[in-house]
């Protein structure tokens, strides 16, 4: 390909909302991580992260559509944590990629839930 990684990144960034429509319809989203030697690195997030169909989504939806919109030889890799799909050390990006921290969920006991409901229902009487 005769385009720079920066050119490819810009083109993918521009067309990503169109490609993302299908993934969003399944409860997921696409995060553009970067480009290296013409390869586009993405991460499927939301319901699509870790889905057994993520490889199919990457190749038959994302890569196919980006090839139509940008260049027929474009290669898309879903960085999914497997050894063969990793983000290279040196890649072009415009944003600093930081994995989203795991959201901590506060555990609430059944007793606290019942107590909160009771207080809300009887706040005028108290």
């Amino acid at each position: 390909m005769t385009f720079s990684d920066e050119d490819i990144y810009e083109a993918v960034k521009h067309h990503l909302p169109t490609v993302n429509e299908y993934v969003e319809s399944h409860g997921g989203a696409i995060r553009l991580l970067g480009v290296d030697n013409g390869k586009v690195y993405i991460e499927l997030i939301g319901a699509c992260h870790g889905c057994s169909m993520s490889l199919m989504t990457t190749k038959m939806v994302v890569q196919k559509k980006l090839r139509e919109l940008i260049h027929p030889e474009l290669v898309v890799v879903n960085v999914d944590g497997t050894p063969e799909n990793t983000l290279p050390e040196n890649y072009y990006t415009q944003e600093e990629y930081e994995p989203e921290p795991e959201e901590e969920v506060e555990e609430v006991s059944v007793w606290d839930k019942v107590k909160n409901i009771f207080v809300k229902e009887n706040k005028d009487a108290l």
Side-chain angles (χ1 to χ4, degrees):
M1 240 184 289
T2 59
F3 301 106
S4 71
D5 287 347
E6 181 179 0
D7 292 338
I8 294 170
Y9 186 96
E10 285 294 328
V12 171
K13 185 176 162 184
H14 174 75
H15 290 293
L16 205 56
T18 302
V19 179
N20 207 17
E21 288 175 8
Y22 172 83
V23 178
E24 286 176 343
S25 73
H26 288 87
I30 304 167
R31 177 183 293 141
L32 175 59
L33 301 178
V35 178
D36 183 46
N37 292 323
K39 280 188 180 179
V40 177
Y41 292 86
I42 64 166
E43 180 182 24
L44 295 177
I45 57 178
C48 295
H49 179 74
C51 171
S52 62
M53 295 299 288
S54 62
L55 177 60
M56 184 72 102
T57 300
T58 301
K59 296 301 177 185
M60 299 306 294
V61 176
V62 180
Q63 180 173 282
K64 181 180 179 188
K65 190 64 177 173
L66 289 176
R67 282 181 170 183
E68 290 171 11
L69 296 167
I70 299 169
H71 194 279
E73 296 175 11
L74 196 67
V75 175
V76 178
V77 176
N78 176 30
V79 177
D80 60 5
T82 60
E84 61 274 5
N85 295 329
T86 59
L87 192 60
E89 284 187 33
N90 299 313
Y91 59 94
Y92 177 82
T93 187
Q94 294 177 347
E95 299 161 10
E96 196 60 37
Y97 169 69
E98 293 182 24
E100 291 183 18
E102 292 292 321
E103 208 175 289
E104 290 188 30
V105 178
E106 185 179 324
E107 293 287 327
V108 179
S109 71
V110 174
W111 168 245
D112 287 335
K113 288 179 185 178
V114 170
K115 184 173 85 174
N116 289 337
I117 292 170
F118 177 80
V119 169
K120 284 179 186 176
E121 290 177 353
N122 297 298
K123 73 177 184 179
D124 292 334
L126 297 175

